[in-house]
Structures are given as structure tokens and as C-alpha cells.
Amino acid sequence: MKKTVHLEHIDPVEIYGAGNRILIELCKHYPELKVTARGFDVILEGKPADAGEFEAKLRALIEKRQHKTALTVYDVESLFEGGSPRESYLANPSAVIVHRTDGKPVSARNHRQEEMVRAYFDSDLVFATGPAGTGKTYVAIALAVRALKNREIRRIILTRPAVEAGERLGFLPGDLKDKLDPYLQPLYDALEDMIPSKKLQDFMADGTIQIAPLAYMRGRTLDRACVILDEAQNTNLTQLKMFLTRMGQNAKFIVTGDTTQIDLPRREDSGLEKGISLLEDIHGISVIRFTRDDIVRHPLVTKIVKAFEEDKK
């Protein structure tokens, strides 16, 4: 059987993808069907059942394109998984989030990280608190990179309050960027794990990925972005409010922090827990609390955190 599917009122490249990548991915599910794309026509040769199902999936992709900036390979996968990315991750939060540059998968490594993944897909604002080494920031950045690669967002914005952890930024050499880069290095490290160096440099140059101190967020409206506030325990309540009210349309905000590592002159000035207590009952906001049992770094880190907790008590 030979059948022709005609695409109307849409640029075929938007459906086929660059280099026909989207079309090729769809064809993988129909190995016995011969598919030829010629401009606005897709010619199908094979079993009637395969051709009919292929056309239905193609029409579904066209419908998806009406609701997003661009299609991705993941959109093809979701057609066969029977749900959206949100539904897929809510059902299986331990699924691969993204692949590192060395090819290794990044996925939730324990129950609490799975909760964080679910929360990201179920809420537009996620608070994740807990001790060092629990992977809060790493999982947040992985989710942001996944969204960027799938073109669900246009930008990733990573920020930290510029509070000195016992060191004096003013005495570091160089201009403001040079002074702040070492402080923001943990964020660069996570990104470099997941995005090839050259691509990351391009993203940084064109503003697709931005890393800046929290003060730089004032006055901005952040649309179609995944925005991560790290080390939020070093914000006061006013700063936290300023950050959260930057949220624009189709944005995801993730706030991470560790209330045992407050570097403010007065610990009671920290606004993280105060902010959470004000907001956690609002629909669309999730709070994930990690504990030392969720630490995924070297086993000694768990013992170190425990020793400091007991000393504090």
C-alpha cells in the first residue's frame, strides 16, 4: 500500500526537525514502513495498519507543535509512552533526567531525590533544603538542562546570594566577574558535567545560561526559564521575596539551601525557613526536606554531618 500524508499550514522543517531528526526518530518505531519526505508530502509504503498508525502519530506531533516553540526527540518518545513528560516522570521519577558529557546518566539516586523530581513536574516553585552532599543543586541543574535540551524553556538562570563564607571577596584579584566566579564555581562544575564545554561557552555568551549574584535579579521578570537560587539560607526574607516575585509566565523556580550552613552575620536573619513556613501550604509550591540519610557523596560526609549535628545539640 502507498499513501501520501500532506502537511498543511506548517513549515515541514518544524515537524521533520533539523536534519530530519524528529522524522527519523518516528520512523524507528516502524521498521517495516518505507517513509519518504518530499517537501510538504510524506509518502508511506507498507502495511495499511502501519501507515495508518504512522499518520496518526505524525498528526499528533503537528498538534504538539501548536503548543510549544519546537519539537524534540522526547516528544516522539512521549507518543509511545502514553503521556507527557510530566506524566512520565510522575510515574517514574527515577528515570534518566539527562546524560552527562561522559555518557553516564543522571537520575534520582534515592527516595528524596525522586520526591524532588516529582515536585519539579508537579509544581512551579520547589524548595529543597538539607545538608551538604544530598544532591539538591545537582538534581536541580539536571532538571534545568533537560528542560533546555527539550526546548521547554529558553533560559537557565542560576543565582546565589553573594555572602562570603568566611572569606573576603573584595581582596580577590580582578573585576567583579573575576571576584565572583570562584564563589559561583560549584554551579559551573555541575553544568560542565552535563553540557560540552564549547556548547556551554556558547550558551553563556548568548545569555541562554546565566550565572549571577542574587542582587542582579532585582527588577527582572523571568519568563520561559528555569531559575535556581542556590545557598538560599544566606538570604533574608526581603531578598527571598524579591527573588520569588521575579517569576514570569511558563517559569520554574527551584530554591535550595542548608540551614546548618548560614554565613550571615546573624543566623536569625536567614529568611529561608521563614519563607517556607509562609508559602508551603500554597497550591503549586512544593517543599522537599533532605536529611543526612540522603547524602550521596563520600560515606564520610554522612558521618561528618552527623558529628556536627550532635555537637550543635
Side-chain angles (χ1 to χ4, degrees):
M1 173 195 169
K2 188 173 182 178
K3 182 176 186 178
T4 299
V5 180
H6 184 69
L7 307 183
E8 296 180 354
H9 312 302
I10 192 165
D11 184 348
V13 175
E14 295 183 10
I15 304 302
Y16 303 158
N20 288 342
R21 186 182 176 199
I22 302 296
L23 189 62
I24 290 170
E25 188 67 26
L26 181 58
C27 289
K28 288 179 182 177
H29 294 270
Y30 301 92
E32 297 181 6
L33 191 66
K34 182 181 178 182
V35 180
T36 307
R38 292 178 181 166
F40 288 85
D41 292 329
V42 180
I43 302 165
L44 309 175
E45 297 179 68
K47 296 177 181 178
D50 286 348
E53 187 176 325
F54 185 97
E55 180 181 4
K57 300 293 187 186
L58 190 61
R59 300 293 183 193
L61 282 176
I62 293 171
E63 176 65 22
K64 277 178 175 283
R65 175 58 188 82
Q66 309 304 320
H67 302 287
K68 52 186 303 190
T69 305
L71 293 174
T72 69
V73 170
Y74 193 91
D75 290 309
V76 177
E77 294 175 7
S78 70
L79 294 176
F80 294 89
E81 291 171 355
S84 65
R86 174 183 176 275
E87 292 166 341
S88 298
Y89 277 96
L90 288 177
N92 182 21
S94 62
V96 174
I97 301 171
V98 70
H99 284 85
R100 295 180 4 171
T101 54
D102 61 7
K104 293 181 179 178
V106 177
S107 57
R109 296 176 61 181
N110 55 42
H111 176 67
R112 204 75 66 192
Q113 288 188 5
E114 289 180 356
E115 284 186 357
M116 185 174 173
V117 172
R118 279 200 189 96
Y120 172 85
F121 286 97
D122 214 24
S123 304
D124 287 337
L125 171 57
V126 178
F127 288 93
T129 67
T134 51
K136 307 180 298 295
T137 303
Y138 199 81
V139 170
I141 292 177
L143 289 165
V145 171
R146 185 208 69 85
L148 183 65
K149 288 185 173 181
N150 289 340
R151 299 193 181 185
E152 296 165 9
I153 56 172
R154 291 196 181 100
R155 294 177 293 171
I156 295 175
I157 300 172
L158 310 178
T159 185
R160 277 181 160 194
V163 176
E164 302 157 12
E167 298 160 354
R168 303 291 296 178
L169 293 175
F171 289 101
L172 292 172
D175 59 18
L176 180 61
K177 183 180 184 302
D178 294 329
K179 293 175 188 292
L180 288 168
D181 274 356
Y183 183 72
L184 300 169
Q185 191 60 48
L187 305 179
Y188 289 110
D189 290 344
L191 286 169
E192 288 170 353
D193 269 1
M194 304 174 207
I195 301 175
S197 180
K198 177 63 171 66
K199 189 67 175 175
L200 179 57
Q201 290 175 17
D202 292 342
F203 281 153
M204 299 283 287
D206 66 18
T208 300
I209 295 178
Q210 302 170 28
I211 303 179
L214 179 60
Y216 285 33
M217 298 297 107
R218 189 176 298 279
R220 302 180 67 182
T221 299
L222 305 175
D223 295 313
R224 197 77 188 271
C226 185
V227 189
I228 299 170
L229 170 59
D230 193 33
E231 301 286 355
Q233 76 275 4
N234 289 328
T235 62
N236 60 40
L237 199 57
T238 300
Q239 290 172 319
L240 186 61
K241 177 186 174 185
M242 179 276 290
F243 171 75
L244 296 177
T245 53
R246 302 307 95 203
M247 182 181 286
Q249 296 296 320
N250 300 311
K252 291 278 189 178
F253 272 43
I254 305 175
V255 178
T256 66
D258 176 5
T259 53
T260 68
Q261 297 193 62
I262 297 172
D263 299 313
L264 297 170
R266 297 194 315 163
R267 290 181 57 85
E268 59 268 26
D269 288 341
S270 176
L272 181 57
E273 282 298 337
K274 297 174 188 175
I276 289 174
S277 67
L278 288 171
L279 303 173
E280 63 183 331
D281 293 331
I282 297 175
H283 179 71
I285 297 176
S286 293
V287 179
I288 309 300
R289 289 185 169 89
F290 290 81
T291 70
R292 67 167 182 260
D293 294 332
D294 302 310
I295 290 173
V296 293
R297 287 183 188 163
H298 193 287
L300 277 177
V301 175
T302 303
K303 297 177 181 179
I304 291 168
V305 170
K306 181 180 179 181
F308 276 88
E309 284 179 355
E310 290 177 350
D311 179 68
K312 184 180 177 181
K313 290 176 183 178

